[in-house]
Amino acid sequence: MKRRTLGMASAGLALPIAAPALAQGGPIEISFWHGLPQPLGGLLEGIANQFNESQRRFRIVSSFRGSYPETMVAAIAGFRASSAPHIVQMFEVGTGTMMSAGRAVKPLHELLAETGVSINFDDYLPAVKGYYSLSDGRMMSMPFNSSTAIMFYNKDAFRRAGLNPDQAPATWADIRATATRLKAAGHEMPFTTAWPTWCQVEQLSAIHNTPLATLDNGFGGLSAELAINNPLMLRHLSTLVEMGRENTFRWGGRDGAGDALFANGSAAMIHASSGARARFVRELPGGVANMGVAMLPYYNDVAGAPLNSIIGGASFWAMNRGPNATRSADENRGIAEFFAFLAQARVAAAWHTETGFLPVTKTAFEQVRASGFYTQNPGADIPIQQLLRGGGQMTGNTRGIRLGGFVEIRVIMQEEMERALQGGQTPQQALTNTVTRGNVVLRNFERSNRA
Amino acid sequence: MSRPAPASHLFRGTALPWLLLLPQLVITALFFFWPAGQAVWQSLLREDAFGLRSEFVGLENFADVLADPTWLAAFGRTLLFSGSVASLALVSALFLAVQADRNIRGASVFKTLLIWPYAVAPAVAAVLWLFMFHPNIGIFGRMLNAAGIAWDYKLNGDQAMLLVIVASAWKQVSYNFIFFLAGLQSIPKSVLEAAAIDGASPRYRFWTVVFPLLSPTAFFLLVVNLVYAFFDTFGVIHALTQGGPGKATETLIYRVYTDGVVNLNLGSSAAQSVILMVLVVGLTFMQFRYVERRVHY
């Protein structure tokens, strides 16, 4: 963290020196704010550097702005102060807010049309493309690091409990049985989760074809309402509360905090972003050989389950500088060319194999498959298989989530889950409160974003 | 004439006094009145996050905040939190100052060590406590769990509250300690010796002689500590619990941050800041007007 701050400070010092160079015909600087900590952030900045080396006209200046929510806030504050970055990495939860952001953002389809740069979006995975496009198919932001939630498990822990390390629990009944077995064998933390609302509410709803919100999870308009007060969510939250009481489930904290518990070997099973793979491979005791990967479990008595999981991760948004300041044609050109660079199968494939994020294009996926990567790295294709589970026919409940103010709604969900898990309220009360409080957020967002 | 001469006798004209006052006036205007005015104006608006569409809503933001049960709960929680932090920090600092004021070997070493934590930034202090009391990676957190005490402040609201209170108070003890120690050292030895000769026990001497003479210091510190607990504990809460679990450690100032910076609900956040401003002005006024009368100077 400290080193990063120093790096940012020195980047700031370098700017005034770089500015005169620009006047003398040096490269046009394109600022790029991202929210990926190490090791992912370094890999991402490496790709930006490759772009810088591939041509001389533009230079991407990357800077790490803290977690995803912090990056979002920084970009919005930057816009209000007329110093927004050219490109910001925005997590999927902020997509609804960005889509309603009017002239703060430069829609991708406009950017490409104006600059004459073309990117073949038909090559993108439908789940990825659908998440970042308008209902008529026009792209709003540039997909890049898309992930989905999957299960990781510690094979050594399974072995010590006498479980088959090559067979992961597939249903929630299996998860409970496995966790109980691990507990009985003396394991202190059989199961935890990162991104609790994403993995245990949003993904769970999609996999079981259950709406998270009305109007196709908000894709149908700003007047959507939360719908998580349903029997499936009640059953699931009750399961987690019971497992918490039996000490087979441990709350790992909000957002990505749970990752650390699996990375340091404390937790035997975790539901986390497929993009956490890069970190786990580096940090998990026993390394990649000790890391089991599996699809998210489901309740096998729910009709139609399991369907595809939904994507998460982030996309890149082109932003205008401020309320009364747009970009020059050259700057837009630089942004568009960087995006076209990212769309290359070579870049997408390398990012996928290095990190565990999805190969966002079909060509990249084929390229990686042809290279034999999946046979050498069993489980690396689990995220893609899971996205295609149920035949790959997405329903209104499995396309994704597009709710305004969703960052706040996630905080509300986490607060109410915490209170249920500590025994302060029943799972039913938690769901009722979440819906009541969440709908207030949705109505406020609708009101302040009416045209 | 015993009163000091009016300013006009010292300075010719008014230009120089104004010039001398100017830096302070500029700073006050720039860093207090301007932002405070902005907050008041913002509190009457409802805006989207990017500031592209705004609507004048009058006092609606205030009505919403005051009718919100979670805000009212945060209000009560803040009183509990601030009261606990201030009393814990004052009592322990007074105890330590009285101990350090005796003639003991290496007293200056103890004093230095006790003052040290004041140099630690609140966020850093919180991280220290996190590394000690994290249920999974903290030394004491693990010891507590090994001893059979279910310690998990990430899920247990009472434990989380206890932790942020102790961490916040710890941070403030040094500051109070310096003032109490100075206060103790300024009490004339002759008064204490006279009391001792009259046969007053140490305990009796403390409560009847020392404590009343310390009351101006204590009163000043009470104000400072309450203001600290209200406003400066943000870093501790942010680094340790982020207001959670649930809303168990969400104080009013943390709520302003969450609603404004995280949820980008600027109108509501501004309304809450204005309410806080009114509260603090009122609190300070009350303390100086009523409490101060009972303090011996």
Side-chain angles (χ1 to χ4, degrees), chain A residues 73 76 79-80 98 100-101 103-104 189 250 254 261 408 415 418-419 422 437 444 447-450, chain B residues 46-53 55 57 60 136 152 154-155 157 244-247 261 263-264 266:
Chain A
V73 167
I76 291 174
F79 177 79
R80 294 179 74 112
M98 293 300 270
S100 310
R103 64 178 190 275
M189 204 190 298
R250 177 78 66 87
R254 296 181 187 180
L261 298 178
E408 183 172 0
E415 284 176 356
E418 283 169 343
R419 286 185 54 209
Q422 63 179 272
R437 293 175 60 197
N444 282 338
R447 180 171 161 187
S448 49
N449 285 281
R450 259 194 314 243
Chain B
R46 197 172 275 242
E47 259 188 356
D48 73 305
F50 292 86
L52 296 173
R53 286 165 287 250
E55 183 191 351
V57 294
E60 203 183 312
N136 306 118
D152 186 357
K154 286 185 167 310
L155 205 51
K247 283 185 174 297
V261 178
N263 301 335
L264 299 164
L266 297 175

Side-chain angles (χ1 to χ4, degrees), chain A residues 25-26 56 112 119 122 150 172 180 189 211 215 249 330 379 400 411 414:
Chain A
R56 321 213 64 182
L112 295 178
I119 295 172
D122 292 334
I150 54 171
W172 276 100
T180 310
M189 204 190 298
L215 296 179
F249 167 67
D330 276 343
V411 173
Q414 294 185 128

Side-chain angles (χ1 to χ4, degrees), chain A residues 63-204:
Chain A
S63 61
F64 173 67
R65 292 282 154 162
S67 66
Y68 281 147
E70 284 165 353
T71 305
M72 175 173 178
V73 167
I76 291 174
F79 177 79
R80 294 179 74 112
S82 285
S83 60
H86 291 84
I87 305 169
V88 64
Q89 182 188 36
M90 182 64 60
F91 64 155
E92 86 284 7
V93 188
T95 304
T97 299
M98 293 300 270
M99 289 216 172
S100 310
R103 64 178 190 275
V105 298
K106 180 87 179 164
L108 181 59
H109 63 89
E110 253 179 64
L111 180 85
L112 295 178
E114 281 174 24
T115 54
V117 173
S118 71
I119 295 172
N120 177 18
F121 286 108
D122 292 334
D123 192 30
Y124 276 74
L125 300 181
V128 174
K129 188 186 164 194
Y131 209 108
Y132 301 113
S133 58
L134 297 174
S135 47
D136 59 10
R138 287 179 301 166
M139 294 300 289
M140 288 298 284
S141 66
M142 180 68 195
F144 180 68
N145 60 317
S146 292
S147 60
T148 191
I150 54 171
M151 180 162 80
F152 294 90
Y153 61 97
N154 188 317
K155 290 188 173 179
D156 277 346
F158 272 46
R159 271 187 214 106
R160 278 197 300 272
L163 292 157
N164 180 357
D166 296 316
Q167 196 187 342
T171 66
W172 276 100
D174 295 343
I175 290 268
R176 265 190 104 159
T178 307
T180 310
R181 184 90 177 263
L182 284 158
K183 181 83 198 162
H187 200 285
E188 283 189 8
M189 204 190 298
F191 172 55
T192 188
T193 186
W195 300 102
T197 67
W198 187 49
C199 296
Q200 306 304 330
V201 181
E202 299 158 37
Q203 297 288 6
L204 190 100

